[in-house]
Amino acid sequence: MRTAVIVFPGSNCDRDAQVALHAAFGAPPAMVWHRETDLPPLDLIVLPGGFSYGDYLRSGAMAAQSPVLRALREQAERGVLVLGICNGFQVLTEAGLLPGVLMRNAGLKFVCRDVGLVVENTESPFTRGYARGQAVTIPVAHHDGNYYADDATLDRLEGEGRVAFRYAPHDNPNGSARDIAGILNERGNVLGMMPHPERAVDKLHCGVDGQAVFTGLVEALAA
Amino acid sequence: MTALAATLDITPELVAEHGLSADEYALILEIMGREPNITELGVFSAMWSEHCSYKSSKVWLKTLPTEGPRVICGPGENAGVVDIGDGLAAVFKIESHNHPSFIEPYQGAATGVGGILRDVFTMGARPIANLNALRFGAPDHEKTRHLVSGVVAGIGGYGNCIGVPTVAGETEFHPAYNGNILVNAMTVGIADANRIFYSAAGGPGNPVVYVGSKTGRDGIHGATMASAEFDDDSDEKRPTVQVGDPFTEKLLLEACLELMATDAIVGIQDMGAAGLTSSGVEMASKGGVGVELDLDRVPMREAGMTPYELMLSESQERMLMVLKPGHEDTARAIFEKWELDFAVIGRVTDTGRLVLKFHGETVGDIEVAPLVANAPEYERPWEPTPKAPVIDAADIAAPGDPMAALKTMLGGAHLCSRRWIWEQYDHMVMADTVQRPGGDAAVVRLHGSSRGLAVTTDATPRYCLADPVEGGRQAVAEAWRNLTAVGATPLAITNNLNFGNPEKPRIMGQLAGCVTGMGEACRALAFPVVSGNVSLYNETSGEAILPTPVVGGLGLIADLERTVGVAIPGEGLDLVLVGETAGWMGSSLYLREVAGREEGAPPPVDLAAEKRNGDFVRALIEAGRVAACHDLSDGGLLVAAAEMALAGNIGAEISGPPAGLPLPGWLFGEDQARYLIACADGASVAADAAKAGVPAAIVGRTGGNTLTAAGSHTISVGELRRCHEGWLPSYMARP
């Protein structure tokens, strides 16, 4: 299975994603520089966390215009799996691959802590490793995680089962609409999520609740 | 030499404005053999500032132990380097950004983090942990909240973006910092032990290369500002504060590490305080060579900059390096990939002189050796601090309810949870944080291994004020103890000496005392000083801060499976108190916060007992016999037990005092060299302690959801948590 992590100037969770993918897939992902205009055939592309282009202008806005995003968009349209974590989620919304926007946290401060999540959709390749309604703990670390979309879009996301993760009741760290922590695209092959599953894959982390994202992907791609 | 002639008269006023005394100027005339021009005066001013020259502190710094079997590089380079085995070295240093942070808290603190990160990666290390030590004024002072909010946001803004976890630190409030806060930032990095990069220039003819951001007019004279007292007009100094760009620093970090993996670099030095001046002079001086710089080639942010401005700008995210001949193209390609400026701005010479060219003329020409070697060094007069009276524990009234006293302490500014602060820092990025903020020391894994580093920052300024020597000892001992409490072997320290005006004998006595105490403790605990920073003139309108010698400690953990934290992990464990409790109340937190008395001799530090007790505890942890461990410091036994209960969300019971010891002394005394450990078999631990000559006794048991002391005093863990977690968020949210 061929996996890749896109590296933008300012990405800083690229190595963390690399480690998690390597452990789950048994082989290291390709690390792809943002200036690449072509991508090799891939099964899974990860957009990692960080501050691409310094988050100047808006989080993810400049990365969404980078050369590699054109190639990524083509692959996504062909059904290749794309996982955007944190800044990666912001890039996906800015690129229009996912609906809605990620605004400044309601508390206006950067927040780094473990949060409780509820897995809402277990049909997707990203979440099949979980049980429906499963409560998990995964860290967040962001300044702009306040997910917003208009009611019609939110209703549609919910109606189509595209809310993959929700913050547990009373544990929403950023004020996101309907406690949304992660969403899927219409086709179900693109997931954006604010929490960092790659920071919860090791017994020395806060726990290993993030591991099922990666092991689920391994199973999905093997199936 | 027309340009060398002064276009501006060098008047006594101009000399004074540059922070140079008449005697110092006379020495400059002697070195130059002529009158300096304004650019040259600026170079001397920066190099001879307190900040760059350590002229008041050097005689004392020389007394500190700086060597040990693990030390690869001690003070004098960009950061200290210690051998941590397996071919790796830890590179670390702490540095202050006090003055800029008071003037402009966000940028001041942010660029403090940026500066210390550069010091570490300049040496070839990838930064893996950031720490900080913060001191603010009284909570009710009008500026305090604004400063807390800005400093914390600035530290987070920089560290979060560059992607280095901020894992530990300390924060204190005291009116003595009302007009002069302290922001000390520390970075720890990891490098191959045989690929450390130093700053010495070498090889006449080799290119001198400038990389990073462009040079602007920001921060001109920052080093001089950091060497003067504040007055009521300090806001007017805002233009001397630099502006940070963590994104550019991230690019600079990756580009430098990429270049360092090749064989291109002779020497490299970041441009920190005094910018191009100090980096150029340092590199030439260390290499015993000269440097000629063509200032027209410096990448500039704005037009019309003068040589004076170019040499003294403190624009951030810049590096100076000397490359081996023929490696310019390799280096240029790397920096262009990372979209950073790259310019050959000069060359190494064999003249031993710093020569500055601008528009084809020589605008500066200074012999480097005397500029560095003849920098003033003062043996400033000092007065020993008068001894504070020892306070008899029996004279302290017992609290009506010790739990009410505990709530006052844990629910107040000094001991409340710092969660509001560290949740604004990404403390997990790099995915190697094993022990997070809030414990005795943070623990980060050495990537891809089962080993780790423990890191902490510590100082107890109220002890230092009452007795600088004892306070100096205690700062080192507490850092050593905090590392020990997580199971680490303490290796070395970096220190940040924050004091008032050294020209006052009373202040100089504080510095002398603290350094003396630190040296004693470092020697006794085999805990050498490998890097550090001195920040003096921390005064506003004549009022000095508390003497604040911050210690940044580094320890090594051989097996991360065996590290322990403060959280009580289960019910029915014995609580064993290691170390002797005499009930020391002088300068204790209880005395200040509950009895309202800020006085008395601080607890004496018995360094032999520290070593014996700590080595015993560490061996227990390494043997897997400890479930949780906490060092006893501010607030003593009951505070330690409460913090362990809060962290584990499990209650505990603490017995009454041994015969003859008053209750406040037992529960709140701050005797040193003590640890509280939770373990399954307290009796065998106590028996082994007795064999090792270490005082230890079972003083309680874990379980339930309340904390009980001396039989009858009880509080629920939930209520404790509300006070402990409540203070800081509600303080910061006050309208």
Side-chain angles (χ1 to χ4, degrees):
Chain A
M1 277 169 284
R2 296 149 305 178
T3 65
V5 176
I6 308 294
V7 183
F8 300 103
S11 293
N12 63 30
C13 301
D14 43 330
R15 189 188 76 179
D16 305 351
Q18 181 184 21
V19 169
L21 288 173
H22 193 164
F25 285 85
M31 304 303 281
V32 179
W33 187 233
H34 69 123
R35 283 209 196 123
E36 296 296 328
T37 48
D38 293 305
L39 287 170
L42 292 166
D43 301 300
L44 168 68
I45 304 170
V46 175
L47 293 169
F51 289 69
S52 55
Y53 302 89
D55 274 356
Y56 295 141
L57 188 57
R58 274 191 318 277
S59 301
M62 288 166 73
Q65 305 301 322
S66 64
V68 77
L69 251 284
R70 274 192 292 276
L72 181 141
R73 191 187 302 272
E74 282 166 22
Q75 297 233 3
E77 280 163 8
R78 286 205 305 273
V80 171
L81 301 180
V82 176
L83 169 61
I85 301 168
C86 197
N87 193 227
F89 186 9
Q90 294 161 343
V91 174
L92 290 171
T93 58
E94 286 287 345
L97 286 162
L98 289 172
V101 293
L102 290 149
M103 304 191 303
R104 182 119 299 193
N105 294 346
L108 303 180
K109 291 185 174 56
F110 189 94
V111 58
C112 176
R113 65 174 174 89
D114 294 339
V115 294
L117 299 176
V118 178
V119 184
E120 296 277 324
N121 169 324
T122 52
E123 311 296 309
S124 84
F126 308 95
T127 53
R128 58 181 276 155
Y130 296 101
R132 189 173 162 79
Q134 188 178 340
V136 296
T137 300
I138 294 180
V140 295
H142 58 250
H143 212 156
D144 299 311
N146 182 357
Y147 183 75
Y148 177 81
D150 58 42
D151 280 334
T153 306
L154 293 170
D155 289 343
R156 188 163 164 223
L157 285 172
E158 304 220 49
E160 293 173 358
R162 287 163 57 192
V163 175
F165 296 100
R166 234 187 269 274
Y167 299 113
H170 314 295
D171 209 11
N172 183 334
N174 53 40
S176 69
R178 303 190 191 177
D179 294 331
I180 285 172
I183 56 167
L184 293 155
N185 67 345
E186 204 169 345
R187 184 169 173 172
N189 67 318
V190 176
L191 171 75
M193 63 189 295
M194 288 313 296
H196 285 271
E198 80 282 15
R199 295 188 187 184
V201 294
D202 186 318
K203 64 183 178 195
L204 291 176
H205 293 159
C206 66
V208 292
D209 283 358
Q211 213 161 39
V213 168
F214 301 99
T215 52
L217 283 164
V218 173
E219 285 168 20
L221 288 169
Chain B
M1 295 288 278
T2 48
L4 263 182
T7 49
L8 200 61
D9 281 344
I10 306 297
T11 61
E13 291 74 32
L14 195 61
V15 169
E17 274 170 31
H18 280 77
L20 293 161
S21 71
D23 288 348
E24 288 169 351
Y25 186 64
L27 192 55
I28 292 171
L29 289 177
E30 197 180 307
I31 291 170
M32 294 294 293
R34 62 174 164 84
E35 195 169 82
N37 64 25
I38 182 70
T39 304
E40 291 163 338
L41 185 70
V43 169
F44 273 98
S45 155
M47 291 309 297
W48 288 10
S49 68
E50 189 67 59
H51 188 85
C52 292
S53 73
Y54 298 92
K55 58 190 170 192
S56 300
S57 57
K58 207 183 251 174
V59 293
W60 290 99
L61 297 178
K62 284 176 185 164
T63 66
L64 291 169
T66 58
E67 286 173 5
R70 296 264 190 183
V71 177
I72 295 174
C73 174
E77 278 289 338
N78 283 298
V81 185
V82 293
D83 187 344
I84 53 170
D86 287 357
L88 296 177
V91 178
F92 70 111
K93 190 183 179 191
I94 192 166
E95 196 159 83
S96 64
H97 235 213
N98 304 335
H99 295 76
S101 300
F102 182 73
I103 297 170
E104 211 298 280
Y106 185 98
Q107 291 298 343
T111 53
V113 174
I116 195 63
L117 281 161
R118 275 195 305 286
D119 277 338
V120 166
F121 70 77
T122 303
M123 298 199 73
R126 177 171 288 282
I128 63 165
N130 281 333
L131 297 87
N132 52 73
L134 312 178
R135 301 283 180 314
F136 297 103
D140 57 5
H141 186 268
E142 57 181 8
K143 279 196 173 171
T144 301
R145 278 200 306 168
H146 159 71
L147 292 168
V148 172
S149 163
V151 165
V152 170
I155 289 172
Y158 210 101
N160 298 346
C161 179
I162 199 168
V164 176
T166 302
V167 296
E170 52 169 0
T171 306
E172 273 194 273
F173 299 86
H174 191 281
Y177 305 101
N178 279 351
N180 205 128
I181 63 171
L182 301 184
V183 175
N184 295 175
M186 169 171 162
T187 294
V188 182
I190 296 298
D192 281 349
N194 58 8
R195 286 194 65 77
I196 305 293
F197 289 81
Y198 296 99
S199 56
N206 281 348
V208 175
V209 172
Y210 169 118
V211 297
S213 288
K214 294 187 193 325
T215 297
R217 288 194 167 102
D218 49 336
I220 290 172
H221 274 316
T224 317
M225 176 185 76
S227 307
E229 279 181 47
F230 276 157
D231 51 32
D232 294 334
D233 300 327
S234 53
D235 281 355
E236 289 171 12
K237 293 187 173 164
R238 194 167 291 126
T240 58
V241 178
Q242 315 85 337
V243 177
D245 178 0
F247 172 59
T248 299
E249 179 123 321
K250 168 71 172 166
L251 305 183
L252 189 60
L253 161 67
E254 298 301 337
C256 285
L257 292 182
E258 197 172 320
L259 180 61
M260 285 162 168
T262 72
D263 189 30
I265 298 175
V266 175
I268 178 166
Q269 169 78 38
D270 83 298
M271 289 190 233
L276 199 47
T277 291
S278 74
S279 55
V281 171
E282 286 287 326
M283 293 187 80
S285 161
K286 293 244 170 64
V289 292
V291 162
E292 187 177 306
L293 300 179
D294 185 352
L295 297 177
D296 297 292
R297 296 203 217 163
V298 172
M300 288 175 228
R301 204 185 294 154
E302 46 198 314
M305 289 188 70
T306 64
Y308 178 88
E309 291 170 326
L310 289 165
M311 288 306 290
L312 294 175
S313 162
E314 292 190 2
S315 290
Q316 299 289 291
E317 294 92 23
R318 302 180 300 158
M319 292 275 190
L320 196 65
M321 52 197 182
V322 172
L323 295 180
K324 292 181 183 165
H327 286 73
E328 290 100 317
D329 290 344
T330 313
R332 187 186 297 276
I334 290 172
F335 283 87
E336 283 178 355
K337 170 189 162 191
W338 291 97
E339 300 179 28
L340 293 165
D341 272 299
F342 176 99
V344 176
I345 63 164
R347 59 189 181 87
V348 178
T349 66
D350 59 6
T351 62
R353 305 184 74 84
L354 173 72
V355 175
L356 308 174
K357 303 268 190 182
F358 191 62
H359 294 351
E361 296 189 80
T362 300
V363 293
D365 185 351
I366 305 174
E367 191 182 351
V368 172
L371 170 62
V372 175
N374 296 7
E377 192 175 312
Y378 297 125
E379 276 196 53
R380 297 205 186 270
W382 60 281
E383 291 166 4
T385 304
K387 288 282 178 197
V390 173
I391 291 177
D392 187 342
D395 289 348
I396 310 293
D401 176 4
M403 292 309 173
L406 179 66
K407 276 172 67 177
T408 302
M409 294 164 77
L410 279 183
H414 192 85
L415 283 183
C416 70
S417 166
R418 269 52 176 146
R419 183 184 304 279
W420 184 92
I421 294 174
W422 48 255
E423 282 191 351
Q424 293 185 58
Y425 303 150
D426 190 337
H427 48 272
M428 308 176 201
V429 62
M430 300 184 91
D432 283 321
T433 305
V434 176
Q435 287 209 39
R436 296 177 180 181
D440 284 329
V443 176
V444 287
R445 174 170 48 190
L446 294 168
H447 191 66
S449 81
S450 57
R451 302 191 309 141
L453 293 181
V455 288
T456 179
T457 57
D458 296 287
T460 312
R462 64 180 190 279
Y463 293 173
C464 298
L465 181 72
D467 183 338
V469 178
E470 213 61 83
R473 283 191 197 116
Q474 195 273 344
V476 173
E478 186 172 347
W480 190 86
R481 210 184 303 143
N482 279 329
L483 299 174
T484 296
V486 298
T489 302
L491 298 183
I493 69 166
T494 179
N495 62 5
N496 207 140
L497 305 175
N498 306 276
F499 292 88
N501 181 347
E503 293 160 40
K504 297 178 182 169
R506 186 177 64 84
I507 300 293
M508 205 54 215
Q510 293 175 342
L511 189 150
C514 284
V515 173
T516 302
M518 292 174 104
E520 288 171 14
C522 288
R523 273 183 284 272
L525 300 171
F527 203 27
V529 183
V530 296
S531 59
N533 172 248
V534 180
S535 172
L536 303 178
Y537 297 95
N538 288 291
E539 299 202 1
T540 295
S541 304
E543 290 293 313
I545 59 161
L546 302 184
T548 311
V550 174
V551 173
L554 178 85
L556 182 64
I557 298 177
D559 178 4
L560 287 172
E561 297 282 336
R562 289 287 162 87
T563 180
V564 296
V566 298
I568 293 174
E571 310 230 349
L573 296 167
D574 290 325
L575 288 171
V576 176
L577 176 60
V578 176
E580 197 167 349
T581 304
W584 193 276
M585 298 305 283
S587 282
S588 68
L589 202 64
Y590 176 88
L591 196 65
R592 188 178 88 188
E593 303 284 306
V594 180
R597 296 166 58 187
E598 202 168 340
E599 59 182 343
V605 180
D606 176 342
L607 293 166
E610 284 286 355
K611 177 118 179 53
R612 195 168 52 237
N613 298 358
D615 288 348
F616 174 74
V617 168
R618 191 179 317 105
L620 283 181
I621 295 171
E622 285 170 350
R625 294 172 68 188
V626 176
C629 181
H630 196 1
D631 100 301
L632 267 61
S633 54
D634 286 353
L637 175 61
L638 193 58
V639 164
E643 287 171 345
M644 293 176 78
L646 285 167
N649 205 23
I650 291 176
E653 220 181 285
I654 297 288
S655 61
L661 190 60
L663 190 64
W666 169 242
L667 294 178
F668 301 111
E670 294 183 4
D671 308 87
Q672 299 293 297
R674 296 188 301 160
Y675 303 79
L676 186 60
I677 61 181
C679 58
D681 186 1
S684 79
V685 167
D688 288 349
K691 277 184 232 154
V694 170
I698 298 177
V699 296
R701 208 166 165 74
T702 69
N705 53 17
T706 58
L707 179 67
T708 303
S712 53
H713 309 288
T714 291
I715 187 169
S716 78
V717 174
E719 189 181 352
L720 263 185
R721 188 177 309 287
R722 278 189 295 282
C723 340
H724 186 236
E725 293 292 347
W727 190 86
L728 196 50
S730 68
Y731 168 67
M732 292 307 297
R734 254 183 237 172

